[in-house]
Amino acid sequence: TVGLLGAFLWFVGIPDLTQLQFTRIAFLAGLGGLLLLVSATKSAGPTKQHWFAIPLLLVGELIRYDAVRLMCVVLSPVIIWMLWRCRTEKNARRAVAVLASCLLLGWGAVRFNDWYYARDPDWKDFHPFNILRVEFMDFDHVPYNSQTASAFDSAGWKPVDLQMLRNWAFLDQDRYNTQSLRKILDALPPNHASARPWAALVKQLSDDRELWGLLACGAAVVAILAVDRSARFIPLACFVMSLVTCAVVYRFMHLPARVYCPVIGGCVATALVFANRPRSFGKRRGWVETRWGHCLALVVLGVLIGWRGYASTVPMQTTSRITSRQFKCSPIFSRRPISCTWFGRAIFPSSTSPCP
């Protein structure tokens, strides 16, 4: 169990240590709080885990409330299990009360934040603009083509204006404002956006090493540990909810790795929390408790940890090569030697040759 927990933290922790992305951090903070409540529900006697769950849930909600709501949707089988245990267990009633109170406090904080911004003359248009902006940038619901060109013309936009918006270059408030975005959206013809192809999603997921690592870690958890019989269907139900949620988000919104990887990681963590004994076949003792099984489990975990460590360096190396080429191709630096040292290792080699 300790080895699997360490492997899970290694798989989930690397992206969060190298990419401080608020959606990931908010989801995992809320996940930690919810799983602490699950552990408290499973406890027979008095426990203080409820109190430790409160700051994690609140931090996740303050960072991004939508990420915590997504966590509750994906792990809704866990919440239903907690509600079912409320019939007979005091700890379950406390856990549900803490979760409901934290969600209510988070909702109130979001409403207060919106009210505060709406009262500020310089920021009153920020939230309305941000709600419309995601239709163009995150969700990609507004492409520029022959069908939508007239809608962009109504706001005086050219294709380059849309490209600037998608690259976060929208400081010109005369062109990029709530009125312009609303005018374009209202002028769009029906069925202007084609459905996203499912083949693109399959290719995206198949090329994601982080996702494969999480799935491999989940498979190891299922193979080594057995879930408590009273909740044996909970991890499977969470995984089904993850697949359905990711499919809906991809179809109607946007599904980047910062969303589906924490979602799958939440399913793996759920299986870990609900596990209570080594997996066995028949009436025999757990296979991992035998000498050969113990060695096999250690080898599998070692391979997974080593593979994940190697895979995590590939995106960093790719980014270094891309950044190096951008420096070299710059008119300022193309004929000047470029060198950058990162922890004693040169990642941007010196070069004086111009770009082709």
Side-chain angles (χ1 to χ4, degrees), residues 80 84 88 96 118 124 142 144 187 197 218 263 286 318 342-343 354:
I80 294 174
W84 180 258
T88 57
V96 171
K124 63 180 181 180
V142 191
Y144 192 98
V263 164
T318 304
W342 181 258
F343 287 104

Side-chain angles (χ1 to χ4, degrees), residues 90-151:
K90 186 176 181 180
N91 283 339
R93 291 191 288 270
R94 288 181 177 177
V96 171
V98 168
L99 178 62
S101 300
C102 289
L103 290 175
L104 183 61
L105 285 173
W107 178 85
V110 172
R111 299 283 78 79
F112 174 78
N113 180 73
D114 295 342
W115 173 81
Y116 183 86
Y117 271 72
R119 292 179 64 252
D120 193 309
D122 296 329
W123 288 92
K124 63 180 181 180
D125 294 329
F126 171 74
H127 283 298
F129 177 83
N130 205 43
I131 292 174
L132 299 177
R133 175 194 61 79
V134 297
E135 296 289 333
F136 293 78
M137 298 175 61
D138 295 20
F139 300 164
D140 196 20
H141 286 167
V142 191
Y144 192 98
N145 51 42
S146 58
Q147 293 182 334
T148 61
S150 59

